[in-house]
């Protein structure tokens, strides 16, 4: 009998400690998002003023590119992202660009997008608030969100080291293929070389 | 008559133009040959690891850059100036380009011919940002440029993500008692 009470007591102490440690772990980890976590929702306007939210695309695979037309590396990746759009947009994959550069205005984005025939919407992240929320740091930086709204891939577009260089590993395309096949993304996290996302200066 | 004259003039002009072009060609060619070939050393991640672990005098500055990165290109002359101002014993400067081996002849060499530097440039073989973090002993977001300053024992002193000025570098060097060559001599004589 007393043994039973003791084990119960231990169990409750153990579980309290566990909860405490987990909570501490989460709070210490800060904002950085992990693979498998839910991607925070957004409400952003594209360069035509049309509203987009992540939740509206629930049930679809969403490829988000933090991009900047000011960044040669980002410009270099854009045509290849457009090719992926051609290949996968009719298979239930949504492509979105997000421009968080604090100086770039929607009209400039529109001009760039039309001149370069961007087939996907580019959203304006005013005052880089969403980039802050998801801790996006460079352009180009890719997030791929699965059908359940969870982050399935985060990192470089591919492993190229210059805007026009040939990649040897196509991280984004491989991740899309895996998700469409219902498989786990093998390389779910990489790091991208690129330009810093120019944020509103803090005082 | 005028028409014939005009034709004659035209052909004369053309002949002169062509002959000038032909005669001046060797000049251009010679000039190209005497142009100094930029100094590019290949460097691997394990070599960076070694240079950060070898004991030496002075500070180590590592700058990661790419020709496609405008702020990187803008700050290269600052590093060139710093390199000229300090003794090689006090300052070990590694300007490491991350564009990979295939860019050497097509991209990096022509770039350095156009934008000559007084110091050597290092070209990284392989190396994605995540592989870099362990070697550089600090988190690398992948955003360029990034400049990291280490002590003589390879201990991280300061990391600059984004653009850097000559004054930024000079002040870190001064804080670590490293002075420019001329000032150093003045100090000694005075």
């Amino acid at each position: 009998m007393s043994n039973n009470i003791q084990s119960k007591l231990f169990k409750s102490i153990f579980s309290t400690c566990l909860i405490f440690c987990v909570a501490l772990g989460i709070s210490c980890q800060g904002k950085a998002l992990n693979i498998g976590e839910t991607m925070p929702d957004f409400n952003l306007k594209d360069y035509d003023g049309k509203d987009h939210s992540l939740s509206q695309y629930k049930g679809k695979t969403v490829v988000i590119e933090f991009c900047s037309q000011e960044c040669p590396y980002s410009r270099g990746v854009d045509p290849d992202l457009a090719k992926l759009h051609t290949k996968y947009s009719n298979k239930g994959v949504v492509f979105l660009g997000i421009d968080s550069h604090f100086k770039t205005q929607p009209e400039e984005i529109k001009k760039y997008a039309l001149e370069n025939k961007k087939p996907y919407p580019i959203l304006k992240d005013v005052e880089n608030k969403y980039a802050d929320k998801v801790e996006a740091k460079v352009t180009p930086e890719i997030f791929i969100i699965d059908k359940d709204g969870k982050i399935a891939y985060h990192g470089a577009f591919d492993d190229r080291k210059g805007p026009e260089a040939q990649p040897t590993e196509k991280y984004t395309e491989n991740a899309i293929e895996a998700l469409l096949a219902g498989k786990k993304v093998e390389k779910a996290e990489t790091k991208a070389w690129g330009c810093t996302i120019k944020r509103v200066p803090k005082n | 008559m005028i028409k014939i004259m005009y034709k004659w003039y035209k052909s004369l002009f053309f002949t002169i133009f062509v002959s000038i072009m032909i005669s001046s060609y060797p000049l251009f060619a010679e000039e190209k040959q005497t142009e100094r070939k930029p100094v590019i050393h290949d460097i691997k991640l394990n070599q960076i690891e070694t240079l950060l672990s070898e004991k030496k005098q002075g500070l180590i500055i590592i700058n990661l850059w790419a020709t496609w990165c405008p702020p990187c290109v803008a700050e290269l002359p600052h590093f060139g100036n710093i390199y000229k101002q300090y003794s090689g014993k006090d300052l070990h400067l590694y300007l490491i380009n991350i564009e990979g081996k295939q860019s050497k002849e097509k991209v990096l060499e022509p770039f350095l011919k156009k934008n000559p530097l007084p110091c050597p440039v290092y070209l990284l073989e392989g190396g994605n940002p995540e592989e870099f973090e362990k070697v550089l002993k600090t988190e690398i977001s992948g955003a360029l440029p990034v400049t990291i300053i280490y002590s003589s024992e390879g201990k991280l002193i300061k990391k600059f993500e984004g653009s850097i000025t000559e004054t930024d570098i000079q002040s870190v060097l001064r804080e670590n008692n490293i002075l420019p060559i001329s000032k150093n001599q003045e100090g000694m004589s005075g």
Side-chain angles (χ1 to χ4, degrees), chain A residues 175-199:
Chain A
I176 295 172
E177 282 287 346
L179 288 173
L180 289 180
K183 288 183 198 157
K184 208 177 156 242
V185 178
E186 256 178 56
K187 217 167 200 171
E189 211 165 3
T190 62
K191 269 196 178 176
W193 291 116
C195 310
T196 329
I197 294 177
K198 308 291 182 299
R199 291 172 145 87

Side-chain angles (χ1 to χ4, degrees), chain B residues 11-30:
Chain B
S11 67
L12 181 72
F13 182 72
F14 183 69
T15 322
I16 291 171
F17 179 71
V18 168
S19 58
I20 287 174
M21 283 306 285
I22 290 170
S23 63
S24 63
Y25 178 70
L27 280 176
F28 286 129
E30 232 168 73

Side-chain angles (χ1 to χ4, degrees), chain A residues 70-73 137-139 141 159 161-163 165-166 171 187 189-198, chain B residues 64 66 68-71 98-100 102 124 126-130 132-133 139-144 146 162:
Chain A
E70 302 295 321
C71 173
Y73 199 102
K137 292 207 170 82
V138 299
T139 61
E141 185 170 327
D159 71 345
K161 294 186 178 68
Q166 279 303 312
Y171 304 135
K187 217 167 200 171
E189 211 165 3
T190 62
K191 269 196 178 176
W193 291 116
C195 310
T196 329
I197 294 177
K198 308 291 182 299
Chain B
L64 304 179
W68 51 258
C69 157
I98 58 97
E99 285 166 273
Q102 82 260 34
L124 184 71
N128 292 326
E130 60 263 34
F132 239 122
E133 296 192 318
E139 203 187 309
I140 299 288
S141 76
L144 294 177
V146 57

Side-chain angles (χ1 to χ4, degrees), chain A residues 22 25-40 133-136 141-146 149-155 188-191, chain B residues 139:
Chain A
V22 168
I26 290 169
S27 66
C28 288
Q29 222 171 29
K31 295 179 285 178
L33 296 165
N34 291 319
I35 301 299
E37 268 185 61
T38 304
M39 185 74 167
K133 204 169 188 178
V134 301
E135 287 216 334
E141 185 170 327
I142 304 285
F143 282 92
I144 303 179
I145 324 301
D146 68 13
K150 307 253 191 290
I151 303 167
Y153 174 79
H154 174 210
E189 211 165 3
T190 62
K191 269 196 178 176
Chain B
E139 203 187 309

Side-chain angles (χ1 to χ4, degrees), chain B residues 22-125:
Chain B
I22 290 170
S23 63
S24 63
Y25 178 70
L27 280 176
F28 286 129
E30 232 168 73
E31 205 177 70
K32 255 190 183 164
Q33 275 173 359
T34 53
E35 220 175 69
R36 249 182 63 208
K37 215 179 169 210
V39 184
I40 303 170
H41 299 301
D42 294 324
I43 195 163
K44 289 182 187 146
L45 279 176
N46 62 356
Q47 288 173 301
I48 300 173
E49 207 165 12
T50 311
L51 73 90
L52 285 176
S53 61
E54 281 171 348
K55 225 180 153 66
K56 53 176 87 60
Q57 188 189 320
L59 294 189
I60 305 158
I61 300 184
I62 291 181
N63 168 261
L64 304 179
W65 69 284
T67 58
W68 51 258
C69 157
C72 302
V73 173
E75 70 183 16
L76 283 177
H78 299 322
F79 284 109
N81 289 341
I82 291 286
Y83 180 81
K84 283 192 279 186
Q85 283 165 27
Y86 293 85
S87 137
K89 271 186 197 163
D90 288 336
L91 176 74
H92 308 274
L93 178 64
Y94 295 92
L95 303 178
I96 303 176
N97 179 291
I98 58 97
E99 285 166 273
K101 227 176 174 178
Q102 82 260 34
S103 79
K104 190 173 185 174
E105 279 164 19
K106 265 201 215 156
V107 183
L108 193 55
E109 268 181 16
F111 172 86
L112 289 171
K113 275 182 186 163
K114 226 177 121 190
N115 308 282
L117 281 170
C119 46
V121 158
Y122 296 81
L123 180 60
L124 184 71
E125 273 183 52

